[in-house]
Amino acid sequence: MAATESKKVNSENPAAAKTGGKVWFYSLLLTLQYGAQPLISKRFVRREVIVTSSVLTCEAVKVICALVLMAKEGTLKKIYLEWTLFGSLTASGLPAAIYALQNSLLQISYKNLDSLTFSILNQTKLFFTALFTYIILRQKQSIQQIGALFLLIMAAVLLSVGEGSSKASSSSNPDEILFYGIVPVLVASVLSGLASALCQWASQVKKHSSYLMTVEMSIIGSLCLISSTSKSPDGEAIRQHGFFYGWTALTLIPVILNAVGGILVGLVTSYAGGVRKGFVIVSALLVTALLQFIFDGKLPSPYCLVALPLVMISISIYQKYPYRVKKKQM
């Protein structure tokens, strides 16, 4: 019945069907990119490479790719003429600042929590994404979709536990664990959900171009990172050894792939929202496990085998039972 209704809607609204096709295409590409990224980075990025240099190069590639895509669409000139600093700061400045703060909090938390606790608490960002999407965009979830989200969170926890349950906490002080471990990761999860909802609001309500947001957030993030190099270890390493220390021609492969992933994140968020992006990222963890088995001979953990059906069931339920506005009976 649901399939029949879906076909009927698509036949009556070709634009909706085309958008739905784009959503699935971009989601599939992002799943493959996110899943393959860890293995490609491990193979092509040497240990000597300075993290800040690869991040800044990735952001520069993102800006170039987004500008090229806007030029290909024929929207670059129009966007340039209509662009304002205030509009940029309200649409992209706040999410970029939030993401920067979130990353800092995660680094603090990771040092003070064992991997199991960190992984479990970090997955609460999926819940906060759905919460802020409702608060900011009034985008409601059906009861079935809420259940699907909890299944997805369970799968994400299982996958995270399977990947990194060996790391022990660096602190045995309960107060340090609470205030420098648990609190930062929970605040980071709240901020992640807020930033994701704000990006969705900017693209869907303010009609801010996904490519333009990529450019703006990359530039803002890069400026923040460059300002931190004056006192950071990476900044000292760059001054001592040079920006491209440890790089080879192959290092560009994961950097470019990561940049493409950044653009895809923007497109998925713009067309489908932050909640769908959460489904994509968790699904990508399964792709990573599969690729590790194919190329490294590493068998998937029991956690991964349990998580696989949970992810498939949660995606199926979330797609099949969208929230529907109840019609008032006359």
Side-chain angles (χ1 to χ4, degrees), residues 44-58:
F44 297 133
V45 178
R46 295 165 61 185
R47 290 182 178 275
E48 296 83 4
V49 172
I50 302 167
V51 174
T52 297
S53 71
S54 63
V55 172
L56 287 174
T57 305
C58 176

Side-chain angles (χ1 to χ4, degrees), residues 232-248:
S232 69
D234 274 11
E236 181 61 33
I238 289 173
R239 287 187 290 273
Q240 190 173 3
H241 301 291
F243 187 82
F244 291 107
Y245 177 71
W247 279 60
T248 66

Side-chain angles (χ1 to χ4, degrees), residues 100-113:
L101 178 57
Q102 175 210 350
N103 290 332
S104 299
L105 289 170
L106 287 177
Q107 292 301 317
I108 294 170
S109 177
Y110 192 68
K111 293 177 182 177
N112 293 281
L113 284 179

Side-chain angles (χ1 to χ4, degrees), residues 43-243:
R43 280 168 169 73
F44 297 133
V45 178
R46 295 165 61 185
R47 290 182 178 275
E48 296 83 4
V49 172
I50 302 167
V51 174
T52 297
S53 71
S54 63
V55 172
L56 287 174
T57 305
C58 176
E59 297 301 329
V61 173
K62 264 198 275 188
V63 169
I64 293 169
C65 289
L67 289 173
V68 169
L69 289 168
M70 282 192 284
K72 187 178 178 182
E73 280 187 345
T75 58
L76 183 59
K77 185 176 181 181
K78 180 184 177 184
I79 289 174
Y80 173 74
L81 293 173
E82 293 178 353
W83 185 88
T84 63
L85 178 61
F86 179 76
S88 172
L89 291 175
T90 54
S92 304
L94 185 56
I98 290 173
Y99 277 128
L101 178 57
Q102 175 210 350
N103 290 332
S104 299
L105 289 170
L106 287 177
Q107 292 301 317
I108 294 170
S109 177
Y110 192 68
K111 293 177 182 177
N112 293 281
L113 284 179
D114 61 276
S115 290
L116 175 59
T117 306
F118 177 85
S119 298
I120 292 172
L121 294 176
N122 192 35
Q123 301 312 323
T124 58
K125 62 188 176 185
L126 296 170
F127 167 76
F128 288 114
T129 298
L131 176 64
F132 280 111
T133 300
Y134 170 71
I135 293 172
I136 295 173
L137 295 166
R138 312 306 295 176
Q139 183 176 317
K140 297 180 180 180
Q141 312 285 335
S142 67
I143 296 296
Q144 293 91 336
Q145 286 182 319
I146 293 172
L149 280 172
F150 278 105
L151 282 178
L152 187 71
I153 291 172
M154 286 172 59
V157 169
L158 286 170
L159 289 166
S160 301
V161 170
E163 283 300 309
S165 59
S166 60
K167 176 182 173 288
S169 172
S170 61
S171 173
S172 58
N173 187 325
D175 288 338
E176 283 190 11
I177 292 173
L178 175 61
F179 293 108
Y180 295 97
I182 295 174
V183 171
V185 72
L186 286 177
V187 174
S189 293
V190 173
L191 292 176
S192 176
L194 175 60
S196 183
L198 285 172
C199 288
Q200 187 176 340
W201 169 79
S203 60
Q204 294 182 356
V205 177
K206 290 197 69 177
K207 304 301 180 184
H208 212 63
S209 164
S210 169
Y211 297 135
L212 179 59
M213 282 192 69
T214 297
V215 171
E216 292 170 341
M217 291 183 70
S218 293
I219 291 174
I220 294 170
S222 297
L223 290 174
C224 293
L225 192 56
I226 290 170
S227 65
S228 71
T229 56
S230 60
K231 295 183 179 180
S232 69
D234 274 11
E236 181 61 33
I238 289 173
R239 287 187 290 273
Q240 190 173 3
H241 301 291
F243 187 82

Side-chain angles (χ1 to χ4, degrees), residues 258-271:
N258 202 16
V260 171
I263 291 174
L264 288 171
V265 165
L267 289 170
V268 170
T269 303
S270 176
Y271 281 101

